[in-house]
Amino acid sequence: MITYEDKVALHENTDVANVNKVTAGDMNEIKNSVNGIVESNIFKNLFNVGNAKTSADAEININKTNNQILINGSSSIVTNIFLDSPKANKDEEGIILKKGTYTATIKKVSGSLSGGDIEFRLRKSDGGSIYNGTLVWAQKILSGVQDDAVYSNTFTLEEETRLHWIGYFAGELRTFNNLVLQFQIEESSIPTPYIPWAGYIVESGSNDNGSWIKYSDGTMICTKTTSIITPITSPWGALYESGDVILGQFPQTFISNPRVSVTNNSSSGAGALIEAVFEVTTTSAGKCWLCRGTSRDSQTPYVLDIIAIGKWK
C-alpha cells in the first residue's frame, strides 16, 4: 500500500510538475518488482511442489503451498504422491535438471505420521512409466518423526535429465494428522572426484643391481651403490683424471635412456669429482670419469652413489 509518507519522501520539491512526479501506481510497480526479485533470490533453488497430487485410489487429502505439502487422513492401500513444479524449466511430466550435483532435502515441519513410513524417490524419466526409471535418490520419512527433522543427501547427474519425484507407501495403515513436509532441491558445488595422485607407487623392490620404485604415471627411479678401485693419475690440465669407470647395470629396464646422476660418497682420503657420465642405455648406468687435484694411485675404493630417473612405461 502506498502511504502519504512514501509520496512525501519522493516529492522533495512540491513545485515539480505533475508529469514528473512518481504516482502511487508507479510506487506499487516498483515494490512489486523488488518483491519479485527478492522472492526469486530466496526460492530460485527450491523445488516447488505446488502441483502435488495423489494416485486415484488414495484415501488421504493433500494441500499444497509452494514447496510444502499438508497431508491428512488414513490409508492402508498402495498410494503414490506425485510431486511436480510449475516453475521455469519444469513441467507437469517431471523436473528437468542440468548436468551437475544436487542436494535434495525433505524437512518435517509439523504434524504427525503414524503406522509406518513413507518413502520419497527421485527417478530418471525413461519416456514411459514414471515408476521404471533409474533411481537416483530415495529417502524414508519415518513414523513418529519429530518436528524439524531434516533428511538430506546429494546426487549427481551426468547430463541434463528429466526426473520424477514420487512419494510411496503401502501395506499397514498409515495415519496423517496435519503432516507438513517441506521439499527442496538445490544445486551443490560439484565435488572433486577422487583421482589418485598421478605419481602413486605401484611397485618397488631390489636385487643385486640396486633398488627401484615404479610410479603410476610411468616414472621410475633406480638407485645403486658401486665400489671401485681406480687410479687417478692421467694429467688433465691442472687436474688428474681416471680412466673409464664402469657403473654397472640398472636393477630394472627403462623404456628410454634415463637421466643419471653420480656422487662420490667415499670416506676421507678418497675424494674425487665426477668429471662426466656417458654411454648410458636403458639397462646400463654407463661409465664415468673421476678427477682430482692431485694424482692418486691408492687401493682405497671409491664409493659411488648412482640415481637414474626415467620411464618404465
Side-chain angles (χ1 to χ4, degrees):
M1 168 72 69
I2 282 289
T3 67
Y4 176 77
E5 287 74 16
D6 288 330
K7 301 180 77 173
V8 169
L10 290 166
H11 292 89
E12 296 179 0
N13 186 346
T14 56
D15 295 327
V16 175
N18 288 336
V19 71
N20 292 325
K21 294 180 180 179
V22 177
T23 66
D26 295 330
M27 180 63 84
N28 282 328
E29 184 175 350
I30 292 170
K31 286 187 171 181
N32 289 337
S33 297
V34 171
N35 289 340
I37 293 171
V38 173
E39 181 177 3
S40 176
N41 288 337
I42 293 174
F43 294 107
K44 63 181 179 180
N45 288 327
L46 298 183
F47 180 55
N48 192 302
V49 295
N51 287 356
K53 51 189 176 294
T54 62
S55 52
D57 55 2
E59 298 177 352
I60 59 175
N61 297 315
I62 292 184
N63 293 313
K64 299 82 63 176
T65 57
N66 287 327
N67 60 320
Q68 294 183 349
I69 59 174
L70 169 63
I71 310 177
N72 273 297
S74 297
S75 179
S76 58
I77 61 176
V78 175
T79 301
N80 293 287
I81 302 174
F82 308 112
L83 302 175
D84 189 24
S85 174
K87 284 190 173 291
N89 202 36
K90 306 175 183 69
D91 59 31
E92 292 187 355
E93 298 304 320
I95 174 175
I96 300 173
L97 296 178
K98 65 183 181 180
K99 175 182 177 180
T101 298
Y102 296 85
T103 299
T105 301
I106 302 176
K107 177 181 179 180
K108 191 269 190 164
V109 178
S110 59
S112 64
L113 166 65
S114 60
D117 57 48
I118 178 172
E119 182 170 346
F120 291 90
R121 304 165 180 172
L122 271 170
R123 291 186 180 275
K124 291 183 179 181
S125 173
D126 67 352
S129 170
I130 61 175
Y131 307 108
N132 296 336
T134 302
L135 182 68
V136 300
W137 186 92
Q139 181 60 61
K140 288 184 178 180
I141 307 301
L142 303 178
S143 176
V145 60
Q146 298 298 306
D147 289 356
D148 298 322
V150 174
Y151 303 87
S152 184
N153 211 334
T154 61
F155 61 94
T156 299
L157 301 176
E158 299 299 328
E159 59 184 358
E160 183 176 288
T161 305
R162 184 186 300 274
L163 299 174
H164 299 289
W165 197 346
I166 310 166
Y168 172 82
F169 65 90
E172 67 271 21
L173 177 68
R174 285 157 178 83
T175 299
F176 303 87
N177 183 17
N178 291 318
L179 177 66
V180 177
L181 300 177
Q182 178 175 299
F183 296 81
Q184 176 177 314
I185 292 180
E186 60 182 343
E187 189 170 9
S188 305
S189 57
I190 297 177
T192 302
Y194 172 70
I195 300 176
W197 175 50
Y200 67 93
I201 296 173
V202 297
E203 180 184 311
S204 63
S206 63
N207 55 32
D208 291 342
N209 291 321
S211 300
W212 70 89
I213 301 175
K214 291 181 180 180
Y215 295 90
S216 60
D217 65 351
T219 299
M220 180 165 68
I221 300 176
C222 289
T223 61
K224 64 180 297 177
T225 298
T226 185
S227 179
I228 57 99
I229 297 174
T230 184
I232 305 178
T233 56
S234 299
W236 183 43
L239 301 175
Y240 295 86
E241 65 179 351
S242 69
D244 292 355
V245 175
I246 298 174
L247 299 174
Q249 301 297 300
F250 294 126
Q252 292 285 298
T253 300
F254 292 91
I255 60 172
S256 59
N257 292 349
R259 299 277 185 168
V260 175
S261 175
V262 182
T263 56
N264 182 4
N265 194 26
S266 303
S267 60
S268 177
L273 302 175
I274 309 301
E275 180 182 334
V277 179
F278 53 96
E279 295 185 8
V280 174
T281 69
T282 58
T283 59
S284 170
K287 303 174 182 178
C288 74
W289 294 317
L290 303 181
C291 68
R292 52 182 285 127
T294 59
S295 176
R296 184 174 184 272
D297 193 13
S298 172
Q299 295 303 304
T300 302
Y302 294 94
V303 179
L304 304 180
D305 288 333
I306 302 161
I307 299 177
I309 301 176
K311 292 289 186 179
W312 65 273
K313 69 173 183 177

